[in-house]
């Protein structure tokens, strides 16, 4: 493999997050290193999605600190996280339902587009050039994810598996440094899962994109992750390379103790 | 076989992202422009120009304004008429109070004034959505009309706020005849419709639609909610403001604040519901439909039923038809006439082979 795991890029220290009386996350610390595939696993309601929401500023933890590229991150809004190169997909598909596949993916490039609305209104010179330059980038992503034949389709008409893929395309269009994927393979059949795995590995390998992945399929997780962190009831119960995690008695107990 | 994109391959993304990628559509569009820009003013009579074509154009512009805010950016507004009022009274005051104010500049300034007021009343949208926002815009509707009546300065101290639009003069030429006023309105509205179309098909429009469809995802992608929503309010109000100014200057000539009441706001809302929410072309279709329908019914209903039904019936019948249509479009075809037109075109593309 060409890629080499780098320094710590996101460092979460003693994160606690509450919603009223519900403790979604309790005193969690772990880090993500550059270029790695870092998975978060755990039973339902363990706090995995909340963890991603903390990383990209959708939720603000009551306690704890987040270091991003070595610097302490102040309260960060989601669009600021995006500006820092963090992109993500959602557990419940969050595509823009009224737009085509192409337009959805084009939105992924908005931070790289510099023209203002007056230039857009005239659609002349710079604005048109910019639109086309970004369209070319988007077409690369479309080709990479093999969704050429649906580019003009409204996303609402697509089957679930393809919607998940379009959502990944939108995230990739931003050329992120860090990609947060919340159950990208949920509800897919074996073949679709294999495709998705291949895309994730390719992105990681080709572009060196750091990936934080939430996934319930243990086979997939153990296969493609560099390191895995395990949450249960909002607490961290395991952290390490797949081998370590698999043999961690607490992890085994958590998984045997639930319906998984 | 006549309406087909066969053989028209898109070699570049520039070609693919045109407003009318299919050649027949482009030809059709220019034919329409010729008909409405040249043939119509030459061939139709004064009644058609004054009572139908000019108001259709002006309402289309207002409907585009509302469509930008509600159809594209997803922020429901019941205050369109009030923003038209701001535009009308702003234009009046700019022309009245500034010596030698060119008409077109006054129109732009009127739009900008409406945009500023729009931003102000758009601020609540940062905290509230949907029904509650609609109520906030309703407050704008009542407050603005009230303020225009309350402070006589706006109407140059005329009684009950009635103002008479000054002459429209551009480069020494005064637009007096209905034909001249129509052509001026046509040019302004077409130009602004083009600008709107360009905005909605580029990054600005995608930002609006993203915020409309899923605001959390829009933020996570990097759009700024506040900026995006307020821009929609500003641009939308600008369009309504210019429409309001044209309403005063090229349509009815004498306006009062009460003329821009909630009824008118609802009328514009119905235009976009019937014409097509989130469609520039739909704004025109909806405006034409709502202006023409009562005229059509006035002529057709008595012709069919004779006088037996009485005069009151026709106007009640209108309301029933409107209500029925709006319910139909809301439930059956939320994308309105514009979508029906698209479906018809898709059918035509496959014709004569149904599959
Ligand atoms: N916005 C919110 N408001 C209130 N409670 C929340 C919110 N988001 C998450 N929670 C709660 O926090 C806890 C953790 O939820 P989270 O979605 O992070 O779990 P998860 O590990 O992603 O679960 P799943 O595997 O089902 O996706 C749950 O008890 C959930 O109900
Ligand atoms: Mg989850």
């Amino acid at each position: 493999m060409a890629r080499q795991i780098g320094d710590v890029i996101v460092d979460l220290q003693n994160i606690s997050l509450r919603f009223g009386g519900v403790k979604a996350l309790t005193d969690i610390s772990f880090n993500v290193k550059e270029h790695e595939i870092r998975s978060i696993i755990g039973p339902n309601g363990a706090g995995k999605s909340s963890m991603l929401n903390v990383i990209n500023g959708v939720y603000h933890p009551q306690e704890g600190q987040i270091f991003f590229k070595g610097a302490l991150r102040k309260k960060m809004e989601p669009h600021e996280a995006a500006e820092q190169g963090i992109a993500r997909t959602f557990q419940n598909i969050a595509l823009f339902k009224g737009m085509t596949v192409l337009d959805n993916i084009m939105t992924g490039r908005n931070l790289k587009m510099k023209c203002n609305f007056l230039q857009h209104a005239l659609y002349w010179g710079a604005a048109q050039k910019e639109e086309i330059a970004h369209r070319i980038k988007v077409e690369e992503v479309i080709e990479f994810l093999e969704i050429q034949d649906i580019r003009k389709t409204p996303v609402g008409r697509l089957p679930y598996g393809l919607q998940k893929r379009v959502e990944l395309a939108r995230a990739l269009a931003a050329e992120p440094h860090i990609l947060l994927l919340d159950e990208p393979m949920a509800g897919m059949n074996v073949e679709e899962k294999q495709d998705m795995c291949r895309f994730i590995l390719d992105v990681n390998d080709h572009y060196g994109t750091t990936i934080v992945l939430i996934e319930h399929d243990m086979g997939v997780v153990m296969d493609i992750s560099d390191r895995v962190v395990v949450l249960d009831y909002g607490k961290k119960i395991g952290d390490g390379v797949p081998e370590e995690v698999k043999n961690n008695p607490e992890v085994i107990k958590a998984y045997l103790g639930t319906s998984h | 076989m006549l309406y087909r994109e066969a053989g028209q391959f898109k070699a570049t993304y520039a070609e693919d992202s045109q407003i009318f990628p299919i050649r027949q559509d482009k030809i059709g569009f220019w034919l329409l422009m010729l008909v409405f820009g040249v043939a119509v003013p030459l061939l139709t009579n004064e009644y058609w120009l004054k009572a139908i074509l000019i108001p259709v154009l002006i309402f289309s512009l207002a409907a585009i304004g509302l469509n930008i805010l509600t159809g594209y950016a997803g922020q429901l507004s019941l205050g369109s008429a009030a923003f038209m009022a701001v535009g009308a009274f702003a234009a009046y005051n700019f022309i009245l109070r500034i010596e030698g104010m060119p008409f077109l500049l006054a129109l732009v300034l009127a739009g900008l004034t409406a945009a500023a007021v729009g931003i102000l009343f758009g601020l609540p949208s940062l905290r509230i959505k949907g029904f509650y926002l609609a109520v906030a815009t309703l407050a704008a509707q009542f407050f603005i009309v009230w303020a225009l009546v309350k402070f006589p300065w706006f109407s140059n101290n005329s009684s009950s706020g009635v103002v008479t639009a000054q002459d429209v003069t551009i480069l020494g030429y005064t637009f007096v005849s209905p034909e001249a006023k129509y052509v001026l309105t046509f040019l302004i509205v077409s130009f602004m419709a083009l600008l709107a179309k360009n905005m909605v098909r580029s990054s600005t429009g995608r930002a609006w639609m993203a915020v409309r469809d899923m605001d959390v995802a829009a933020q996570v992608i990097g759009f700024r909610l506040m900026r995006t929503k307020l821009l929609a309010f500003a641009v939308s109000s600008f369009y309504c403001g210019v429409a309001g100014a044209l309403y005063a200057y090229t349509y009815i000539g004498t306006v009062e604040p009460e003329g821009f009441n909630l009824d008118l706001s609802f009328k514009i809302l119905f235009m976009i519901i019937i014409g097509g929410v989130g469609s520039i072309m739909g704004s025109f279709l909806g405006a034409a439909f709502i202006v023409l329908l009562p005229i059509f019914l006035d002529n057709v209903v008595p012709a069919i039923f004779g006088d037996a039904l009485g005069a009151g019936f026709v106007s009640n019948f209108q309301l029933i038809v409107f209500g029925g249509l709006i319910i139909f479009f809301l439930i059956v075809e939320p994308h309105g006439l514009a979508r029906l037109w698209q479906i018809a075109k898709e059918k035509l593309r496959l014709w004569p082979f149904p599959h």
Side-chain angles (χ1 to χ4, degrees), chain A residues 43-50 53 88 91-92 182-183 214 216:
Chain A
N44 290 107
K48 305 179 294 295
S49 297
S50 302
N53 281 327
R88 78 174 277 190
Q91 184 169 355
N92 311 310
D182 197 342
E183 304 197 18
I214 297 177
H216 278 298

Side-chain angles (χ1 to χ4, degrees), chain A:
Chain A
M1 261 205 201
R3 84 204 163 91
Q4 215 172 10
I5 295 189
D7 297 335
V8 171
I9 183 166
V10 182
D11 194 10
L12 299 136
Q13 295 185 358
N14 311 99
I15 301 291
S16 294
L17 175 72
R18 284 182 303 274
F19 297 102
V22 180
K23 288 184 175 171
L25 299 170
T26 310
D27 196 26
I28 290 184
S29 304
F30 73 94
N31 62 35
V32 181
K33 291 180 180 164
E34 208 163 0
H35 308 310
E36 78 174 332
I37 298 183
R38 181 72 149 132
S39 289
I40 303 177
I41 63 170
N44 290 107
K48 305 179 294 295
S49 297
S50 302
M51 201 67 241
L52 285 200
N53 281 327
V54 165
I55 294 177
N56 81 328
V58 177
Y59 294 162
H60 301 287
Q62 281 83 6
E63 281 147 49
Q65 295 176 318
I66 303 170
F67 291 86
F68 186 69
K69 292 181 180 163
L72 177 65
R73 199 175 88 174
K74 296 277 174 316
K75 192 176 170 185
M76 184 189 256
E77 294 303 322
H79 68 84
E80 292 165 326
E83 283 160 21
Q84 300 284 332
I86 303 179
R88 78 174 277 190
T89 66
F90 291 82
Q91 184 169 355
N92 311 310
I93 297 171
L95 286 170
F96 305 126
K97 290 274 181 308
M99 300 160 73
T100 61
V101 168
L102 182 61
D103 277 343
N104 264 280
I105 306 175
M106 285 294 279
T107 61
R109 295 204 62 82
N110 79 88
L111 285 173
K112 298 194 176 341
M113 301 181 85
K114 297 286 170 257
C115 287
N116 61 37
F117 75 101
L118 288 173
Q119 289 168 299
H120 290 150
L122 295 171
Y123 204 78
W124 195 264
Q128 192 181 14
K129 243 188 238 156
E130 185 177 70
E131 184 84 6
I132 289 164
H134 289 278
R135 173 76 190 273
I136 290 169
K137 283 282 180 194
V138 162
E139 288 292 335
E140 283 172 23
V141 176
I142 287 177
E143 199 170 318
F144 172 67
L145 292 179
E146 299 159 14
I147 47 178
Q148 293 94 330
D149 45 340
I150 54 165
R151 32 162 114 69
K152 296 283 173 77
T153 313
V155 288
R157 285 197 212 158
L158 295 175
Y160 184 80
L162 275 181
Q163 292 200 12
K164 284 247 162 197
R165 209 186 278 194
V166 173
E167 207 189 359
L168 176 64
R170 184 180 67 187
L172 287 180
E175 299 179 61
H177 297 310
I178 303 179
L179 184 56
L180 314 178
L181 302 174
D182 197 342
E183 304 197 18
M185 291 166 237
M188 288 188 166
N189 62 34
V190 177
E191 201 179 316
E192 287 173 322
K193 271 191 189 179
Q194 279 173 352
D195 281 341
M196 191 52 92
C197 267
R198 178 162 56 84
F199 295 139
I200 293 171
L201 287 169
D202 275 358
V203 170
N204 178 249
D205 197 29
H206 273 65
Y207 305 106
T209 310
T210 307
I211 289 170
V212 183
L213 172 73
I214 297 177
E215 183 48 53
H216 278 298
D217 186 324
M218 282 310 130
V220 168
V221 169
M222 296 306 165
D223 241 22
I224 70 174
S225 313
D226 293 300
R227 290 190 302 157
V228 181
V229 54
V230 192
L231 304 184
D232 191 21
Y233 292 112
K235 300 205 174 81
K236 183 171 104 170
I237 58 168
D239 190 355
V241 296
E243 266 325 293
E244 277 176 73
V245 167
K246 252 190 275 186
N247 300 323
N248 180 329
E250 261 200 273
V251 174
I252 294 168
K253 204 175 86 200
Y255 270 85
L256 290 178
T258 65
S259 54
H260 282 280

Side-chain angles (χ1 to χ4, degrees), chain B residues 90-122:
Chain B
Y92 173 75
N93 280 290
F94 279 119
I95 294 174
L96 177 78
R97 294 171 201 282
I98 298 175
E99 191 64 33
M101 168 64 69
F103 178 73
L104 290 179
L105 180 59
L107 218 50
V108 173
L109 291 173
L112 290 176
T113 310
V117 177
I119 289 175
L120 196 67
F121 283 100

Side-chain angles (χ1 to χ4, degrees), chain B:
Chain B
M1 294 294 270
L2 291 171
Y3 182 77
R4 246 339 112 88
E5 73 267 43
Q8 301 177 27
F9 296 108
K10 305 295 172 296
T12 65
Y13 295 131
E15 281 175 36
D16 192 42
S17 57
Q18 294 172 95
I19 297 180
F20 301 109
I22 297 178
R23 194 187 306 129
Q24 286 89 333
D25 280 340
K26 200 180 298 173
I27 296 169
F29 171 76
W30 285 111
L31 275 178
L32 262 179
M33 291 296 280
L34 273 180
V35 167
F36 281 97
V38 181
V40 159
L42 288 175
L43 300 175
T44 50
N45 60 30
E46 193 172 322
Y47 168 75
W48 268 85
L49 288 172
K50 274 181 150 169
I52 296 170
L53 291 161
I54 293 179
V56 165
L57 285 173
I58 291 171
F59 287 133
S60 300
L61 193 62
I64 290 173
L66 181 61
N67 233 332
I68 285 172
L69 185 61
T70 302
Y72 287 95
Q75 312 297 307
L76 184 54
S77 165
L78 295 175
S80 321
F83 297 117
M84 288 178 72
V86 172
F89 281 82
Y92 173 75
N93 280 290
F94 279 119
I95 294 174
L96 177 78
R97 294 171 201 282
I98 298 175
E99 191 64 33
M101 168 64 69
F103 178 73
L104 290 179
L105 180 59
L107 218 50
V108 173
L109 291 173
L112 290 176
T113 310
V117 177
I119 289 175
L120 196 67
F121 283 100
L123 288 174
S125 73
L126 306 178
R127 304 304 294 270
I128 54 179
K129 291 183 192 178
F131 175 73
Y132 297 98
L133 179 61
V135 172
T137 60
L138 200 60
Q141 170 67 49
F142 289 120
F143 175 79
I144 289 169
V145 171
W146 171 82
L148 288 173
V149 175
K150 172 77 183 170
F151 302 103
W153 183 86
F154 290 120
S155 50
N156 201 24
N157 304 314
S158 84
S159 65
S160 71
V162 181
V163 300
T164 301
Q166 303 91 338
D167 281 346
V168 176
T169 305
I170 297 174
L171 299 174
Y173 176 80
T174 304
F175 292 75
V176 181
S177 69
E179 287 82 3
K181 285 186 174 171
Y182 168 80
V183 171
L184 178 67
T185 311
F186 176 79
L187 290 175
I188 292 170
V189 172
S190 314
F191 179 64
M192 287 182 66
L194 175 69
L195 297 188
K197 181 74 196 171
N198 284 339
M199 273 187 272
V200 300
R201 70 190 174 121
S202 50
S203 189
T204 298
R206 288 192 293 264
W208 288 337
M209 291 186 275
V211 166
R212 171 195 69 189
D213 287 348
M214 188 153 291
D215 52 5
V216 175
Q219 276 178 293
V220 163
I221 274 172
F223 291 120
R224 288 158 185 259
L225 278 195
M226 181 163 92
R227 190 193 283 175
T228 307
K229 285 185 180 177
L230 291 184
L231 181 64
F233 269 96
V235 174
S236 163
S237 308
F238 183 94
Y239 274 72
C240 287
V242 173
L246 289 175
Y247 187 88
Y249 282 81
T250 66
Y251 177 36
I252 53 178
T254 303
V255 293
E256 54 180 329
E258 304 288 357
F260 298 98
N261 55 17
L262 185 61
D263 272 8
L264 183 59
S265 284
F266 268 111
K267 218 167 156 181
I268 297 165
L269 183 62
F270 294 160
M271 287 175 192
I272 73 168
I273 290 174
I274 289 179
V277 174
S279 160
I280 300 296
M281 186 182 71
S283 310
F284 284 92
L285 296 177
F289 194 89
I290 295 240
V291 171
L292 287 172
L293 185 71
I295 299 172
F296 175 76
L297 292 178
D298 275 347
N299 290 310
V300 168
V301 176
I304 295 175
F305 300 103
D307 293 333
L309 297 167
F313 179 76
V314 176
S315 54
N316 283 329
F317 187 65
Q318 261 185 34
L319 291 177
I320 296 168
V321 172
F322 265 127
L325 278 170
I326 284 157
I327 292 169
F328 168 81
F329 278 109
L330 280 177
I331 294 173
V332 181
E333 188 47 83
H335 296 288
L337 293 171
R339 176 81 190 120
L340 293 179
W341 167 240
Q342 229 177 11
I343 293 172
K345 280 204 306 188
E346 269 166 37
K347 292 250 155 69
L348 193 58
R349 238 167 67 196
L350 300 174
W351 186 84
F353 312 106
H355 293 292

